[in-house]
Amino acid sequence: MRLDKFLKVTMLIKRRSVANEAADEGFIYVNGKKAKPSTKIKAGDKILLDMWNYKKEVLVKALPETKGSIPKKDIDKYIEILSYEPKQVDDFI
């Protein structure tokens, strides 16, 4: 599954277009390397989202089979949040 689609269906990023833009701008890493929107994701991959206001590291446990978003109650089957750090206002200056 493509990175941009995975981020959207697991609700890590709300829209696929935003996932595309974030990856193109270098805010997303897969297994320590900058990722493109088309990067193929598999179980066991670590995704780092170094976004505008937070930094989140996620472990991919499994890939969803569905085309649409998965129910919130099932998200733990697909991802495990390893770390989450909100960025402070001082980080932007």
Side-chain angles (χ1 to χ4, degrees):
M1 176 177 283
R2 288 173 53 109
L3 173 64
D4 55 352
K5 182 164 179 129
F6 180 81
L7 294 173
K8 193 243 182 253
V9 298
T10 56
M11 293 179 265
L12 289 167
I13 295 181
K14 287 187 179 185
R15 290 183 303 277
R16 195 167 174 179
S17 61
V18 175
N20 274 308
E21 182 180 323
D24 285 339
E25 291 182 18
F27 295 128
I28 303 175
Y29 297 80
V30 175
N31 298 325
K33 297 179 182 175
K34 282 189 181 180
K36 295 181 180 181
S38 61
T39 300
K40 296 295 181 191
I41 299 299
K42 60 188 180 316
D45 285 347
K46 286 185 181 177
I47 300 173
L48 175 66
L49 303 168
D50 191 0
M51 302 299 281
W52 302 275
N53 57 349
Y54 67 88
K55 191 179 218 178
K56 185 185 290 188
E57 187 173 17
V58 176
L59 175 67
V60 178
K61 294 165 87 174
L63 297 177
E65 298 295 325
T66 182
K67 291 185 179 186
S69 294
I70 56 177
K72 284 185 180 181
K73 65 182 174 91
D74 294 337
I75 288 181
D76 291 342
K77 295 176 185 176
Y78 302 103
I79 61 170
E80 177 183 342
I81 297 176
L82 302 174
S83 67
Y84 175 81
E85 300 172 35
K87 291 184 180 177
Q88 303 299 319
V89 175
D90 297 340
D91 295 342
F92 296 112
I93 298 174

PDB file of all heavy atoms in Angstrom, residues 18-37:
ATOM      1  N   VAL A  18      -2.999  16.137   1.659  1.00  0.00           N
ATOM      2  CA  VAL A  18      -2.119  16.679   2.700  1.00  0.00           C
ATOM      3  C   VAL A  18      -0.959  15.711   2.938  1.00  0.00           C
ATOM      4  O   VAL A  18       0.185  16.135   3.120  1.00  0.00           O
ATOM      5  CB  VAL A  18      -2.904  16.937   4.006  1.00  0.00           C
ATOM      6  CG1 VAL A  18      -1.974  17.375   5.124  1.00  0.00           C
ATOM      7  CG2 VAL A  18      -3.985  17.982   3.770  1.00  0.00           C
ATOM      8  N   ALA A  19      -1.224  14.412   2.906  1.00  0.00           N
ATOM      9  CA  ALA A  19      -0.162  13.406   3.052  1.00  0.00           C
ATOM     10  C   ALA A  19       0.837  13.530   1.904  1.00  0.00           C
ATOM     11  O   ALA A  19       2.055  13.442   2.116  1.00  0.00           O
ATOM     12  CB  ALA A  19      -0.764  12.004   3.100  1.00  0.00           C
ATOM     13  N   ASN A  20       0.335  13.727   0.696  1.00  0.00           N
ATOM     14  CA  ASN A  20       1.209  13.923  -0.475  1.00  0.00           C
ATOM     15  C   ASN A  20       2.100  15.140  -0.285  1.00  0.00           C
ATOM     16  O   ASN A  20       3.311  15.083  -0.523  1.00  0.00           O
ATOM     17  CB  ASN A  20       0.372  14.115  -1.741  1.00  0.00           C
ATOM     18  CG  ASN A  20      -0.002  12.819  -2.384  1.00  0.00           C
ATOM     19  OD1 ASN A  20       0.847  11.988  -2.638  1.00  0.00           O
ATOM     20  ND2 ASN A  20      -1.280  12.638  -2.641  1.00  0.00           N
ATOM     21  N   GLU A  21       1.500  16.241   0.115  1.00  0.00           N
ATOM     22  CA  GLU A  21       2.231  17.488   0.288  1.00  0.00           C
ATOM     23  C   GLU A  21       3.294  17.346   1.388  1.00  0.00           C
ATOM     24  O   GLU A  21       4.437  17.773   1.217  1.00  0.00           O
ATOM     25  CB  GLU A  21       1.253  18.608   0.650  1.00  0.00           C
ATOM     26  CG  GLU A  21       1.888  19.959   0.800  1.00  0.00           C
ATOM     27  CD  GLU A  21       0.875  21.028   1.152  1.00  0.00           C
ATOM     28  OE1 GLU A  21      -0.260  20.968   0.643  1.00  0.00           O
ATOM     29  OE2 GLU A  21       1.228  21.911   1.949  1.00  0.00           O
ATOM     30  N   ALA A  22       2.924  16.722   2.509  1.00  0.00           N
ATOM     31  CA  ALA A  22       3.869  16.548   3.618  1.00  0.00           C
ATOM     32  C   ALA A  22       5.053  15.685   3.196  1.00  0.00           C
ATOM     33  O   ALA A  22       6.207  15.987   3.530  1.00  0.00           O
ATOM     34  CB  ALA A  22       3.154  15.935   4.818  1.00  0.00           C
ATOM     35  N   ALA A  23       4.794  14.624   2.458  1.00  0.00           N
ATOM     36  CA  ALA A  23       5.883  13.756   1.994  1.00  0.00           C
ATOM     37  C   ALA A  23       6.768  14.499   0.987  1.00  0.00           C
ATOM     38  O   ALA A  23       8.003  14.415   1.059  1.00  0.00           O
ATOM     39  CB  ALA A  23       5.316  12.486   1.375  1.00  0.00           C
ATOM     40  N   ASP A  24       6.147  15.217   0.066  1.00  0.00           N
ATOM     41  CA  ASP A  24       6.919  15.972  -0.935  1.00  0.00           C
ATOM     42  C   ASP A  24       7.812  17.025  -0.278  1.00  0.00           C
ATOM     43  O   ASP A  24       8.896  17.320  -0.777  1.00  0.00           O
ATOM     44  CB  ASP A  24       5.987  16.644  -1.941  1.00  0.00           C
ATOM     45  CG  ASP A  24       5.397  15.663  -2.944  1.00  0.00           C
ATOM     46  OD1 ASP A  24       5.989  14.571  -3.135  1.00  0.00           O
ATOM     47  OD2 ASP A  24       4.342  15.980  -3.534  1.00  0.00           O
ATOM     48  N   GLU A  25       7.356  17.605   0.846  1.00  0.00           N
ATOM     49  CA  GLU A  25       8.129  18.646   1.523  1.00  0.00           C
ATOM     50  C   GLU A  25       9.154  18.065   2.501  1.00  0.00           C
ATOM     51  O   GLU A  25       9.875  18.812   3.150  1.00  0.00           O
ATOM     52  CB  GLU A  25       7.185  19.615   2.234  1.00  0.00           C
ATOM     53  CG  GLU A  25       6.381  20.444   1.246  1.00  0.00           C
ATOM     54  CD  GLU A  25       5.464  21.445   1.919  1.00  0.00           C
ATOM     55  OE1 GLU A  25       5.669  21.754   3.109  1.00  0.00           O
ATOM     56  OE2 GLU A  25       4.544  21.922   1.246  1.00  0.00           O
ATOM     57  N   GLY A  26       9.198  16.731   2.642  1.00  0.00           N
ATOM     58  CA  GLY A  26      10.218  16.104   3.467  1.00  0.00           C
ATOM     59  C   GLY A  26       9.862  15.950   4.931  1.00  0.00           C
ATOM     60  O   GLY A  26      10.740  15.783   5.774  1.00  0.00           O
ATOM     61  N   PHE A  27       8.578  15.987   5.273  1.00  0.00           N
ATOM     62  CA  PHE A  27       8.148  15.871   6.667  1.00  0.00           C
ATOM     63  C   PHE A  27       7.918  14.422   7.103  1.00  0.00           C
ATOM     64  O   PHE A  27       7.679  14.167   8.272  1.00  0.00           O
ATOM     65  CB  PHE A  27       6.852  16.654   6.909  1.00  0.00           C
ATOM     66  CG  PHE A  27       6.997  18.140   6.740  1.00  0.00           C
ATOM     67  CD1 PHE A  27       6.133  18.841   5.914  1.00  0.00           C
ATOM     68  CD2 PHE A  27       7.977  18.840   7.416  1.00  0.00           C
ATOM     69  CE1 PHE A  27       6.246  20.208   5.764  1.00  0.00           C
ATOM     70  CE2 PHE A  27       8.102  20.210   7.274  1.00  0.00           C
ATOM     71  CZ  PHE A  27       7.237  20.902   6.443  1.00  0.00           C
ATOM     72  N   ILE A  28       7.966  13.467   6.175  1.00  0.00           N
ATOM     73  CA  ILE A  28       7.653  12.082   6.503  1.00  0.00           C
ATOM     74  C   ILE A  28       8.844  11.181   6.172  1.00  0.00           C
ATOM     75  O   ILE A  28       9.410  11.267   5.086  1.00  0.00           O
ATOM     76  CB  ILE A  28       6.389  11.612   5.742  1.00  0.00           C
ATOM     77  CG1 ILE A  28       5.212  12.534   6.072  1.00  0.00           C
ATOM     78  CG2 ILE A  28       6.055  10.169   6.095  1.00  0.00           C
ATOM     79  CD1 ILE A  28       3.956  12.246   5.299  1.00  0.00           C
ATOM     80  N   TYR A  29       9.176  10.324   7.135  1.00  0.00           N
ATOM     81  CA  TYR A  29      10.270   9.376   6.991  1.00  0.00           C
ATOM     82  C   TYR A  29       9.746   7.964   7.191  1.00  0.00           C
ATOM     83  O   TYR A  29       8.888   7.733   8.038  1.00  0.00           O
ATOM     84  CB  TYR A  29      11.355   9.639   8.042  1.00  0.00           C
ATOM     85  CG  TYR A  29      12.013  10.989   7.925  1.00  0.00           C
ATOM     86  CD1 TYR A  29      11.394  12.131   8.419  1.00  0.00           C
ATOM     87  CD2 TYR A  29      13.249  11.121   7.314  1.00  0.00           C
ATOM     88  CE1 TYR A  29      11.997  13.374   8.312  1.00  0.00           C
ATOM     89  CE2 TYR A  29      13.859  12.358   7.204  1.00  0.00           C
ATOM     90  CZ  TYR A  29      13.224  13.486   7.708  1.00  0.00           C
ATOM     91  OH  TYR A  29      13.825  14.707   7.589  1.00  0.00           O
ATOM     92  N   VAL A  30      10.249   7.019   6.413  1.00  0.00           N
ATOM     93  CA  VAL A  30       9.925   5.608   6.586  1.00  0.00           C
ATOM     94  C   VAL A  30      11.240   4.879   6.834  1.00  0.00           C
ATOM     95  O   VAL A  30      12.159   4.964   6.012  1.00  0.00           O
ATOM     96  CB  VAL A  30       9.189   5.031   5.354  1.00  0.00           C
ATOM     97  CG1 VAL A  30       8.983   3.532   5.506  1.00  0.00           C
ATOM     98  CG2 VAL A  30       7.853   5.730   5.153  1.00  0.00           C
ATOM     99  N   ASN A  31      11.327   4.227   7.971  1.00  0.00           N
ATOM    100  CA  ASN A  31      12.546   3.510   8.371  1.00  0.00           C
ATOM    101  C   ASN A  31      13.784   4.405   8.307  1.00  0.00           C
ATOM    102  O   ASN A  31      14.849   3.992   7.853  1.00  0.00           O
ATOM    103  CB  ASN A  31      12.736   2.244   7.527  1.00  0.00           C
ATOM    104  CG  ASN A  31      11.600   1.267   7.724  1.00  0.00           C
ATOM    105  OD1 ASN A  31      11.065   1.140   8.810  1.00  0.00           O
ATOM    106  ND2 ASN A  31      11.220   0.585   6.657  1.00  0.00           N
ATOM    107  N   GLY A  32      13.622   5.661   8.726  1.00  0.00           N
ATOM    108  CA  GLY A  32      14.750   6.587   8.807  1.00  0.00           C
ATOM    109  C   GLY A  32      15.111   7.314   7.534  1.00  0.00           C
ATOM    110  O   GLY A  32      16.031   8.115   7.527  1.00  0.00           O
ATOM    111  N   LYS A  33      14.393   7.062   6.438  1.00  0.00           N
ATOM    112  CA  LYS A  33      14.693   7.719   5.161  1.00  0.00           C
ATOM    113  C   LYS A  33      13.506   8.568   4.736  1.00  0.00           C
ATOM    114  O   LYS A  33      12.351   8.181   4.924  1.00  0.00           O
ATOM    115  CB  LYS A  33      14.974   6.678   4.079  1.00  0.00           C
ATOM    116  CG  LYS A  33      16.191   5.836   4.361  1.00  0.00           C
ATOM    117  CD  LYS A  33      16.403   4.808   3.280  1.00  0.00           C
ATOM    118  CE  LYS A  33      17.607   3.949   3.612  1.00  0.00           C
ATOM    119  NZ  LYS A  33      17.784   2.869   2.651  1.00  0.00           N
ATOM    120  N   LYS A  34      13.809   9.737   4.129  1.00  0.00           N
ATOM    121  CA  LYS A  34      12.726  10.571   3.612  1.00  0.00           C
ATOM    122  C   LYS A  34      11.907   9.768   2.618  1.00  0.00           C
ATOM    123  O   LYS A  34      12.453   9.044   1.788  1.00  0.00           O
ATOM    124  CB  LYS A  34      13.270  11.825   2.925  1.00  0.00           C
ATOM    125  CG  LYS A  34      13.693  12.883   3.891  1.00  0.00           C
ATOM    126  CD  LYS A  34      14.020  14.171   3.188  1.00  0.00           C
ATOM    127  CE  LYS A  34      14.472  15.195   4.230  1.00  0.00           C
ATOM    128  NZ  LYS A  34      14.804  16.466   3.631  1.00  0.00           N
ATOM    129  N   ALA A  35      10.590   9.911   2.729  1.00  0.00           N
ATOM    130  CA  ALA A  35       9.697   9.086   1.916  1.00  0.00           C
ATOM    131  C   ALA A  35       8.915   9.929   0.925  1.00  0.00           C
ATOM    132  O   ALA A  35       8.579  11.079   1.191  1.00  0.00           O
ATOM    133  CB  ALA A  35       8.739   8.330   2.820  1.00  0.00           C
ATOM    134  N   LYS A  36       8.623   9.328  -0.210  1.00  0.00           N
ATOM    135  CA  LYS A  36       7.756   9.931  -1.211  1.00  0.00           C
ATOM    136  C   LYS A  36       6.341   9.415  -0.967  1.00  0.00           C
ATOM    137  O   LYS A  36       6.156   8.381  -0.326  1.00  0.00           O
ATOM    138  CB  LYS A  36       8.211   9.528  -2.611  1.00  0.00           C
ATOM    139  CG  LYS A  36       9.571  10.061  -2.989  1.00  0.00           C
ATOM    140  CD  LYS A  36       9.924   9.636  -4.390  1.00  0.00           C
ATOM    141  CE  LYS A  36      11.288  10.184  -4.771  1.00  0.00           C
ATOM    142  NZ  LYS A  36      11.666   9.816  -6.131  1.00  0.00           N
ATOM    143  N   PRO A  37       5.327  10.088  -1.503  1.00  0.00           N
ATOM    144  CA  PRO A  37       3.951   9.614  -1.330  1.00  0.00           C
ATOM    145  C   PRO A  37       3.743   8.201  -1.861  1.00  0.00           C
ATOM    146  O   PRO A  37       2.918   7.449  -1.345  1.00  0.00           O
ATOM    147  CB  PRO A  37       3.116  10.611  -2.130  1.00  0.00           C
ATOM    148  CG  PRO A  37       3.950  11.831  -2.237  1.00  0.00           C
ATOM    149  CD  PRO A  37       5.375  11.364  -2.224  1.00  0.00           C
TER     150      PRO A  37
END
